[in-house]
Amino acid sequence: MDLSWLTFLPISQVYADLGRLIKYNSAHKDLLLRELRRNIKAFKSAQRSTFIDYDKLLTLMQTQAIENAIADRYPFSKVKRGRIEEKHVFDKRNVRYIGKLAGWMFKNIDGQITELRDLQSLVGKLNSANGTNIALQFTNLFYKMKLPADFIGKTD
């Protein structure tokens, strides 16, 4: 088969343009929102079971999109501009986050999931971790993930 026609196609230019579109379009935003939604859905799945296995719940949690966005220096303000205000907070435990940016929230969520993974590596099974209120940590994580969802979903 004659493949010489491939040399005439502007493949490199199209590829470079596509890369710019993805980098400067909403690819990171879409991935961040999908990851946030997936992590919240993990809590929904755990809620249906009679026994919560924190290790399995943590296994369902993803942070890859946040880590990629940080590595690519993605401006999280593209997810949602502005700071979290009182009108975005629907849970008393999230009042302390008033004034924070979306980027701070995503990075903090990533940090908390990473901290739980580190604890899991240290103790083996989260359900048997002594001296640590794992249930409270997961509850706080859920509400911390709920806040950016409320913030982003709220139209001003």
Side-chain angles (χ1 to χ4, degrees):
M1 181 180 351
D2 183 23
L3 298 177
S4 62
W5 58 273
L6 277 171
T7 59
F8 296 108
L9 296 177
I11 295 171
S12 295
Q13 184 61 41
V14 172
Y15 184 78
D17 289 344
L18 185 59
R20 275 192 289 282
L21 282 174
I22 291 171
K23 187 180 279 185
Y24 297 109
N25 199 348
S26 63
H28 277 299
K29 179 181 177 180
D30 292 346
L31 290 173
L32 287 166
L33 295 178
R34 290 176 80 201
E35 186 170 85
L36 183 64
R37 185 172 182 228
R38 180 180 180 188
N39 288 345
I40 290 172
K41 191 172 183 175
F43 279 96
K44 187 176 181 179
S45 298
Q47 190 179 41
R48 291 185 203 141
S49 66
T50 56
F51 172 76
I52 297 176
D53 185 344
Y54 294 113
D55 295 306
K56 288 183 181 178
L57 179 57
L58 186 59
T59 302
L60 295 174
M61 299 286 174
Q62 299 293 313
T63 59
Q64 192 62 46
I66 298 171
E67 292 168 8
N68 290 344
I70 292 169
D72 291 346
R73 298 178 185 213
Y74 175 73
F76 285 89
S77 61
K78 287 186 176 185
V79 174
K80 175 78 175 196
R81 290 198 181 286
R83 296 184 179 275
I84 295 171
E85 298 174 14
E86 195 172 326
K87 65 184 176 185
H88 303 121
V89 178
F90 300 110
D91 305 291
K92 284 196 302 188
R93 68 176 71 206
N94 285 338
V95 169
R96 62 183 164 196
Y97 302 121
I98 292 175
K100 301 295 184 189
L101 298 167
W104 185 91
M105 289 302 300
F106 278 103
K107 291 173 187 174
N108 198 275
I109 290 166
D110 173 57
Q112 190 166 358
I113 292 172
T114 302
E115 186 179 313
L116 285 166
R117 286 194 178 125
D118 291 345
L119 182 61
Q120 182 184 39
S121 296
L122 185 66
V123 298
K125 290 194 144 291
L126 290 175
N127 286 18
S128 61
N130 292 328
T132 308
N133 191 341
I134 298 297
L136 180 63
Q137 287 187 21
F138 273 96
T139 303
N140 288 340
L141 176 59
F142 171 77
Y143 281 102
K144 197 176 283 186
M145 288 190 296
K146 184 182 177 298
L147 181 58
D150 292 339
F151 177 54
I152 294 163
K154 179 84 172 171
T155 55
D156 297 323

